[in-house]
C-alpha cells in the first residue's frame, strides 16, 4: 500500500492502526513533530470509514495494546458505543498517560456538553451524510443488540435524511458543525429546530445581523412559529422554529435546511477570539477566548491578581476551568461588560506577570 493511499476498508483499518501507534510512540518520546505528522493520516482513515459506513469496524481497537490507538478509537466511536468508549477514556484519564490523560478528559467533557467535533465535521468541513444501518461485528454483538432495541424511529430517520446529519438519539438530531438541533415530538410529531448562530461583535452590529437572520425565516411564517432569544453581548444567538405535523412536509423542511446551511456558511465561530472586561462579584475581570470558552483570564480582587492560562494543555485543570468558564459565561449580565482590544488585554496580562497569585496547577 502506497503511503497514505486508501483503496479499501482493509487499507483504512491498517493505516489507522499504524498511524495511531506511531503517534503513541512519538508522544511517549515527547516527539511532538512526529505526533502531529501522523494526525492527517488518522483523520483520513476516519473519514474514509465514515463515508463507507464502516466506522463500527474500529471497535476492535478499543482493546489495542497501544493506549493512543485505544483512546483514538474510543473518541471516534463515542456516537456508536458510548458506554464502552467512556470506559476506555476513563481508563486513560485515570492512568499514567501524561498529556493524553488530559486530552481524554477534554474529549469526555466536550462529549457530555454536546461540543465534541469529529474529523469529518471539523477539520475537513465534511457535511455528515445519513448513515446506513450498521452491521454488527462479532466483538460487538451484545452492543448491537442493545442498539437494535433502541432503533431510531421513522420520524427521526426521515429528518436525518432531510437535514443530512445522523441521529444523536431517538427523536433528536444534532449537527455541531452547522450549529443546529432538530427534535421530533414522538406523540404530536411536531418538529422543533434550534439554530445557533454567531456574529463577530467587533466587525458587525449584533442586533442588526440578528434581525436580518430572523427575517430569513419569515418566508416560512405560514408554516412555522418563530421565536428567538435576545442576542448575547458576545454575539451568540439562538433562533427557534416550531413546525406542526401538518406543516412539516419534506418540501418545507428541506427549504428550512437550506436556509440553515446558508446562514451557517456566513458565520465561523472557530478561532474567533474576543476580549472583554467586566466587574463581577466585586472583582475586575479580563478575559480572552473564543465566543464559547475562555483561553486566558486575569481576575483582580483588591490589590491581588489571579491569572489563568488554559491554552497550554499541560496546565489544563478541569475543575479550575469550569469555575473560570462559569464566570466567563455570566459576565455578559454585568452592567459594566465591555469589549476591549487584544492590545488592551495583552497589556493587562503583561503588567500582572510578576504580581499574580500562582495558578493552582
Amino acid at each position: 500500500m502506497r503511503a497514505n493511499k486508501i483503496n479499501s476498508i482493509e487499507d483504512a483499518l491498517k493505516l489507522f492502526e499504524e498511524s495511531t501507534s506511531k503517534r503513541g510512540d512519538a508522544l511517549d518520546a515527547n516527539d511532538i513533530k512526529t505526533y502531529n505528522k501522523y494526525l492527517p493520516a488518522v483523520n483520513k482513515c476516519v473519514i474514509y470509514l465514515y463515508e463507507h459506513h464502516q466506522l463500527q469496524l474500529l471497535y476492535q481497537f478499543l482493546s489495542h495494546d497501544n493506549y493512543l490507538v485505544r483512546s483514538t478509537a474510543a473518541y471516534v466511536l463515542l456516537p456508536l458505543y458510548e458506554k464502552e468508549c467512556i470506559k476506555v477514556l476513563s481508563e486513560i484519564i485515570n492512568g499514567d498517560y501524561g498529556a493524553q490523560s488530559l486530552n481524554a478528559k477534554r474529549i469526555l467533557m466536550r462529549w457530555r456538553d454536546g461540543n465534541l467535533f469529529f474529523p469529518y465535521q471539523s477539520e475537513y468541513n465534511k457535511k455528515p451524510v445519513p448513515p446506513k444501518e450498521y452491521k454488527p461485528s462479532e466483538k460487538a454483538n451484545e452492543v448491537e443488540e442493545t442498539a437494535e432495541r433502541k432503533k431510531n424511529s421513522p420520524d427521526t430517520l426521515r429528518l436525518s435524511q432531510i437535514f443530512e446529519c445522523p441521529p444523536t438519539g431517538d427523536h433528536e438530531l444534532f449537527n455541531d458543525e452547522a450549529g443546529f438541533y432538530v427534535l421530533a415530538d414522538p406523540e404530536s410529531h411536531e418538529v422543533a429546530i434550534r439554530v445557533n448562530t454567531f456574529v463577530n461583535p467587533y466587525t458587525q452590529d449584533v442586533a442588526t445581523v440578528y434581525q436580518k437572520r430572523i427575517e430569513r425565516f419569515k418566508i416560512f411564517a405560514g408554516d412555522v412559529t418563530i421565536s428567538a432569544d435576545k442576542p448575547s453581548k458576545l454575539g451568540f444567538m439562538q433562533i427557534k422554529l416550531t413546525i406542526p405535523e401538518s406543516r412539516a412536509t419534506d418540501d418545507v423542511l428541506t427549504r428550512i435546511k437550506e436556509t440553515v446551511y446558508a446562514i451557517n456558511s456566513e458565520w465561523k465561530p472557530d478561532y474567533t477570539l474576543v476580549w472583554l472586561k467586566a466587574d463581577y462579584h466585586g472583582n475586575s475581570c479580563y478575559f480572552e477566548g473564543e465566543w464559547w470558552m475562555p483561553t486566558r483570564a486575569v481576575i483582580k480582587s483588591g490589590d491581588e491578581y489571579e491569572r489563568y492560562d488554559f491554552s497550554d494543555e499541560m496546565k489544563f485543570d478541569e475543575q479550575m476551568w469550569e469555575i473560570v468558564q462559569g464566570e466567563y459565561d455570566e459576565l455578559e449580565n454585568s452592567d459594566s461588560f465591555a469589549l476591549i482590544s487584544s492590545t488592551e488585554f495583552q497589556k493587562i496580562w503583561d503588567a500582572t506577570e510578576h504580581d499574580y497569585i500562582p495558578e493552582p496547577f
Side-chain angles (χ1 to χ4, degrees):
M1 180 176 62
R2 198 170 64 193
N4 291 357
K5 182 68 173 178
I6 302 177
N7 293 316
S8 65
I9 299 299
E10 291 72 22
D11 285 351
L13 293 172
K14 182 178 179 181
L15 182 59
F16 178 89
E17 182 178 17
E18 291 176 350
S19 299
T20 47
S21 293
K22 289 176 180 177
R23 296 189 83 221
D25 294 341
L27 197 58
D28 287 340
N30 200 28
D31 182 358
I32 302 304
K33 183 176 180 181
T34 300
Y35 174 77
N36 292 330
K37 174 184 175 182
Y38 286 97
L39 179 60
V42 174
N43 288 337
K44 188 175 182 180
C45 296
V46 172
I47 292 168
Y48 185 92
L49 292 170
Y50 177 83
E51 292 180 338
H52 288 78
H53 312 289
Q54 296 297 326
L55 274 183
Q56 79 279 4
L57 296 180
L58 293 176
Y59 188 92
Q60 61 187 293
F61 296 127
L62 293 179
S63 56
H64 198 278
D65 291 340
N66 187 298
Y67 70 92
L68 199 66
V69 178
R70 296 198 303 276
S71 63
T72 305
Y75 152 57
V76 172
L77 292 176
L78 271 168
L80 298 180
Y81 308 113
E82 182 178 25
K83 181 179 178 181
E84 289 73 10
C85 293
I86 288 177
K87 182 178 179 181
V88 171
L89 291 170
S90 297
E91 178 261 325
I92 299 295
I93 291 170
N94 296 320
D96 186 18
Y97 297 106
Q100 191 57 24
S101 294
L102 296 175
N103 189 45
K105 183 185 292 186
R106 296 185 76 175
I107 287 172
L108 276 187
M109 182 169 58
R110 290 190 176 187
W111 169 252
R112 287 163 176 158
D113 289 344
N115 293 322
L116 186 62
F117 288 87
F118 296 94
Y120 50 79
Q121 294 176 315
S122 56
E123 295 187 32
Y124 288 81
N125 293 319
K126 294 276 186 178
K127 285 185 181 179
V129 297
K132 293 182 179 178
E133 185 176 353
Y134 290 106
K135 296 180 180 180
S137 64
E138 291 183 0
K139 293 186 178 181
N141 283 339
E142 183 178 345
V143 177
E144 289 294 343
E145 288 171 3
T146 301
E148 181 66 21
R149 291 195 296 270
K150 297 180 179 179
K151 198 171 185 178
N152 291 302
S153 67
D155 280 347
T156 306
L157 295 176
R158 169 181 169 242
L159 292 172
S160 175
Q161 293 175 347
I162 291 173
F163 284 92
E164 302 178 29
C165 64
T168 55
D170 201 14
H171 314 301
E172 182 179 19
L173 309 174
F174 171 47
N175 187 313
D176 201 356
E177 182 188 8
F180 66 83
Y181 297 79
V182 181
L183 299 98
D185 189 303
E187 296 181 1
S188 67
H189 300 283
E190 180 181 81
V191 176
I193 304 172
R194 300 200 305 271
V195 183
N196 296 329
T197 184
F198 171 82
V199 300
N200 188 328
Y202 292 99
T203 60
Q204 297 173 294
D205 181 78
V206 173
T208 299
V209 177
Y210 167 73
Q211 191 58 44
K212 286 182 178 178
R213 289 185 181 165
I214 291 180
E215 292 291 333
R216 300 274 284 277
F217 291 102
K218 291 289 181 70
I219 61 172
F220 305 108
D223 304 302
V224 175
T225 300
I226 305 170
S227 62
D229 295 330
K230 181 180 179 181
S232 76
K233 295 176 182 178
L234 287 178
F236 176 74
M237 300 167 281
Q238 187 174 91
I239 302 170
K240 303 172 185 177
L241 312 173
T242 305
I243 311 110
E245 180 184 15
S246 61
R247 299 290 188 178
T249 63
D250 286 7
D251 176 65
V252 169
L253 293 176
T254 298
R255 288 189 291 123
I256 290 175
K257 180 261 298 195
E258 291 171 351
T259 303
V260 171
Y261 276 113
I263 289 176
N264 173 66
S265 68
E266 300 166 3
W267 71 285
K268 295 296 178 186
D270 292 346
Y271 313 118
T272 302
L273 290 176
V274 294
W275 298 268
L276 58 128
K277 66 177 180 180
D279 291 331
Y280 184 68
H281 289 175
N283 299 329
S284 297
C285 306
Y286 302 84
F287 277 90
E288 171 190 77
E290 296 174 37
W291 64 271
W292 58 279
M293 68 173 289
T295 303
R296 295 189 294 172
V298 177
I299 299 177
K300 181 181 179 183
S301 180
D303 295 327
E304 297 180 328
Y305 291 91
E306 294 182 6
R307 299 203 323 174
Y308 305 94
D309 186 352
F310 300 105
S311 61
D312 184 348
E313 290 190 5
M314 296 301 294
K315 291 184 176 181
F316 184 84
D317 181 275
E318 182 177 359
Q319 183 177 9
M320 189 56 62
W321 183 85
E322 289 178 347
I323 293 172
V324 174
Q325 186 196 34
E327 292 193 357
Y328 179 79
D329 291 341
E330 295 176 20
L331 281 179
E332 292 181 276
N333 296 321
S334 170
D335 292 336
S336 66
F337 171 94
L339 293 169
I340 59 177
S341 68
S342 60
T343 302
E344 185 175 350
F345 177 87
Q346 192 62 46
K347 285 182 179 179
I348 294 292
W349 183 266
D350 293 341
T352 58
E353 182 174 2
H354 302 294
D355 299 326
Y356 74 99
I357 298 174
E359 299 172 11
F361 295 118

